[in-house]
Amino acid sequence: MTLFTTDHRILGRRYLALSLFSVALGTLMSVTMRVHLVWPNNPTLARFIPPFHALLPEDYLAFVTLHGTLMLFFVLTLAPQAGFGSLILPSQIGAKRMAFPALNALAFWIFVLSLAVLLSASFVPGGSEISGWTAYPPLSAIAAAGPGQALGMDLWLGSIWLFGIASILSAVNTIATIVACRCPGLTWERLPLTVWGWFTAALLTVIAFSVLLAALVMLFADRHAHTSFFIPAGDLVSTTLHAGGNGSPLLWLHLFWFFGHPEVYIAILPGMGLTSMLLANFAGRRVFGYRIMIATTLMIGFLGILLWGHHMFVAGLNPFAGTLFSVSTMAIALPASAKVLSWLATVWRSRPTYATPMLFALGFVSLFIAGGLTGPILAQPILDQYLHNTYFVVAHFHLIMSMAGVFGLFAATYYWFPQISSASGRPPRLMNESLGRWHFWLSITGAYATFVPMHLAGLGGNPRQYAQLNGIANAASDLLSKVRPIQEGVSHAAFFLAASQLLFLINLLVSFRSGKLAPPNPWSATTLEWAPTISDEDASKSQIVVSRGPCDYFHNKSGIGLKTQWATDENPE
């Protein structure tokens, strides 16, 4: 295995390792933030962790920024698209490799460089960027605005710019592979829904990240080239009066959220596709309304581009524009609801096998529904004016995006672990089922215990990004003291949730070395990544021809039968 390999399976495993490192670091930051939020002056913590007692508000905001950036970009975007996309996509469409193997390798090393640049910001004078992953101007456009807004901000901009370039390269590779490298007979209607998820997310990536790259260049120009895209005339920051052109911070909001909302679906569409396939697989059923599920995937991608303005209801939008964005936000609930109904209909009155991947797929459905229920609330401008920038918003996007997205990644890891473990020529192995089930039940309990009470804190008016809840001598102190018991409970639940992930790490490491050897098709799946010729060293001498769609299950006297996509009609499985 060479360092600069172009093998898509090895690169897919490296992408996932990069995401694993990022999620571990981001989780440690979130735990630190939760501790400092409710126990900022704890003498025990100060004794065992001396720097903790001296954590300044700007340090807390730097943690917020790094946590959000790591989780959103390097975990929820990188792992499902570049990670599992590189590892699984070619074999799932009967291809021997990605369309552009060298481009895939180049994208990986740009991702590595992006992460290195991001983390280096913590060691420069002034510290890491503190404006959050949204980097709102005009403060982010002026280096003298405060700590973390000088070199640390420049490094953050450079990191995200590199990430955007790598994401576009990876997305172009994904689109080209799906369009040009499908095996004979694998028509668009016979593609697994996972492939449709990757395809739609890749299209969104090319569109959304292109706009973000332009916005980042404009913001960098405001900081160093004396332009004024986002800085209004007469803006006074740190005793410095801006006398240049009359820019508008609102322009950044339009450009950023035109990227930011599709980013939600870039992260979650692959999980939706995988969930559909796993529910059908373990229930021994065909996906209910398969063509409708394809259409809803494309519709969610299309509508996702049109919803950016609902993040800006309090930014001074024209009321008519606010109404339009509110209606379009409600409209996306239709294809999302159709997906939920398909999932429920697929497993209705079935007798599924509750293996660990199935449990996490069901957890994905549960969290997607629970988080989605608060979406229509935030889609109403009059309600959003009160709830905006409170913990209600934090709870909403953590349930529907972070937790549902992460549960999709867990389902993919347990399901495709034989593919992951054999990526370097080793024998395919399975993860431990007992540890996997404990991991699921502890994780879903911790997820709900952490993020459901956050809605109550938000309804109580608790603003997000406050560094602590006590010791504040202002008008907000009475309010914050009332939500403190809720936040203490949330912190305990967050520690429980974070500790539960140690089971996953133990299971992952042990299974790599000594996990149970996996049979050729351990889950009785029908899709091509489990075909014997896919992993055969002489696979280049054979050509898979597909004659049916995925999830072709049937019931007979002996139980549930299946017809795999790689089997001929004369030789069904």
Side-chain angles (χ1 to χ4, degrees):
M1 182 177 64
T2 61
L3 183 62
F4 298 105
T5 182
T6 59
D7 184 283
H8 69 93
R9 289 166 58 80
I10 296 175
L11 286 171
R13 211 165 94 166
R14 289 179 179 177
Y15 280 122
L16 294 177
L18 195 65
S19 289
L20 183 63
F21 171 78
S22 299
V23 75
L25 190 58
T27 301
L28 289 175
M29 290 181 176
S30 67
V31 169
T32 303
M33 288 187 293
R34 293 304 315 178
V35 171
H36 188 268
L37 180 68
V38 293
W39 301 294
N41 301 312
N42 189 290
T44 303
L45 291 172
R47 182 183 307 166
F48 290 101
I49 315 175
F52 181 84
H53 188 66
L55 194 67
L56 300 174
E58 53 266 32
D59 299 325
Y60 180 87
L61 293 177
F63 273 42
V64 170
T65 302
L66 280 174
H67 167 77
T69 304
L70 287 168
M71 294 300 202
L72 188 71
F73 290 101
F74 291 93
V75 179
L76 294 173
T77 302
L78 181 63
Q81 275 296 99
F84 285 109
S86 294
L87 181 69
I88 303 298
L89 171 61
S91 56
Q92 200 163 72
I93 62 174
K96 308 304 179 187
R97 58 180 177 81
M98 297 290 284
F100 306 112
L103 197 66
N104 194 20
L106 175 62
F108 170 76
W109 288 110
I110 296 177
F111 279 126
V112 172
L113 178 60
S114 172
L115 181 60
V117 172
L118 175 69
L119 298 181
S120 69
S122 300
F123 305 99
V124 299
S128 184
E129 188 253 356
I130 66 171
S131 295
W133 76 279
T134 57
Y136 284 165
L139 295 180
S140 63
I142 301 173
Q149 301 288 44
L151 182 55
M153 183 71 204
D154 290 334
L155 290 172
W156 185 88
L157 292 174
S159 171
I160 302 306
W161 193 84
L162 289 169
F163 188 95
I165 291 292
S167 296
I168 292 175
L169 294 179
S170 178
V172 169
N173 206 357
T174 297
I175 295 169
T177 302
I178 295 172
V179 171
C181 300
R182 303 192 311 276
C183 66
L186 192 60
T187 62
W188 288 98
E189 289 187 352
R190 291 173 177 172
L191 286 177
L193 291 174
T194 45
V195 177
W196 278 106
W198 282 319
F199 181 71
T200 308
L203 292 174
L204 289 177
T205 297
V206 173
I207 297 170
F209 273 94
S210 297
V211 174
L212 178 64
L213 291 179
L216 292 171
V217 171
M218 294 163 69
L219 184 57
F220 194 83
D222 274 6
R223 292 173 59 82
H224 298 289
H226 307 292
T227 57
S228 187
F229 293 108
F230 309 122
I231 308 176
D235 195 35
L236 182 65
V237 177
S238 296
T239 70
T240 300
L241 182 67
H242 177 70
N246 189 18
S248 172
L250 194 61
L251 174 60
W252 170 266
L253 267 66
H254 280 291
L255 294 174
F256 181 84
W257 286 116
F258 186 84
F259 148 79
H261 198 78
E263 168 67 8
V264 174
Y265 300 105
I266 291 169
I268 207 167
L269 277 171
M272 288 181 173
L274 177 62
T275 294
S276 300
M277 302 304 292
L278 292 187
L279 294 180
N281 184 172
F282 289 100
R285 295 276 190 86
R286 297 183 180 183
V287 175
F288 183 85
Y290 199 86
R291 292 183 178 180
I292 294 176
M293 291 296 275
I294 295 173
T296 54
T297 297
L298 295 171
M299 190 179 300
I300 287 173
F302 173 71
L303 291 175
I305 300 176
L306 307 179
L307 309 182
W308 78 90
H310 71 215
H311 296 271
M312 301 164 55
F313 285 148
V314 300
L317 279 182
N318 184 299
F320 293 103
T323 300
L324 178 63
F325 284 122
S326 177
V327 171
S328 60
T329 303
M330 298 294 288
I332 204 171
L334 297 177
S337 299
K339 283 193 174 296
V340 172
L341 292 175
S342 173
W343 294 334
L344 297 178
T346 299
V347 299
W348 182 255
R349 291 188 174 180
S350 68
R351 294 182 178 179
T353 302
Y354 292 105
T356 303
M358 179 63 165
L359 291 176
F360 276 100
L362 292 171
F364 177 96
V365 175
S366 173
L367 292 163
F368 182 79
I369 295 173
L373 290 175
T374 55
I377 296 175
L378 294 171
Q380 308 306 313
I382 190 65
L383 297 177
D384 186 73
Q385 289 182 22
Y386 174 76
L387 296 173
H388 186 82
N389 211 36
T390 69
Y391 267 88
F392 192 93
V393 178
V394 177
H396 164 72
F397 76 72
H398 271 86
L399 272 181
I400 198 169
M401 185 179 178
S402 299
M403 286 294 97
V406 168
F407 268 55
L409 292 176
F410 283 140
T413 303
Y414 283 102
Y415 182 69
W416 282 320
F417 189 75
Q419 308 282 341
I420 299 172
S421 59
S422 63
S424 300
R426 298 177 180 179
R429 298 184 182 276
L430 292 169
M431 295 184 73
N432 184 279
E433 276 291 305
S434 297
L435 285 177
R437 288 174 177 158
W438 273 104
H439 175 221
F440 167 75
W441 288 112
L442 294 176
S443 294
I444 198 166
T445 301
Y448 278 115
T450 301
F451 298 111
V452 169
M454 275 191 188
H455 291 87
L456 301 178
L459 289 171
N462 189 177
R464 58 192 295 193
Q465 297 182 347
Y466 268 41
Q468 60 188 69
L469 296 178
N470 60 356
I472 303 175
N474 58 28
S477 59
D478 185 54
L479 167 67
L480 296 179
S481 66
K482 292 179 180 178
V483 299
R484 179 183 169 87
I486 297 176
Q487 291 288 14
E488 286 186 354
V490 167
S491 291
H492 286 108
F495 305 152
F496 176 82
L497 176 61
S500 301
Q501 307 320 304
L502 294 175
L503 283 178
F504 173 74
L505 290 176
I506 293 170
N507 198 351
L508 190 70
L509 295 174
V510 172
S511 298
F512 258 118
R513 297 180 61 87
S514 57
K516 179 182 177 182
L517 292 177
N521 188 2
W523 312 114
S524 298
T526 62
T527 46
L528 293 177
E529 73 270 27
W530 303 107
T533 56
I534 289 295
S535 57
D536 188 355
E537 293 182 358
D538 296 326
S540 58
K541 299 179 181 179
S542 61
Q543 176 64 70
I544 292 176
V545 178
V546 172
S547 59
R548 60 179 59 86
C551 305
D552 194 348
Y553 294 94
F554 58 89
H555 294 262
N556 52 32
K557 293 181 180 180
S558 60
I560 298 175
L562 67 147
K563 295 180 180 179
T564 63
Q565 286 191 291
W566 64 87
T568 62
D569 290 331
E570 293 78 17
N571 185 30
E573 294 291 315

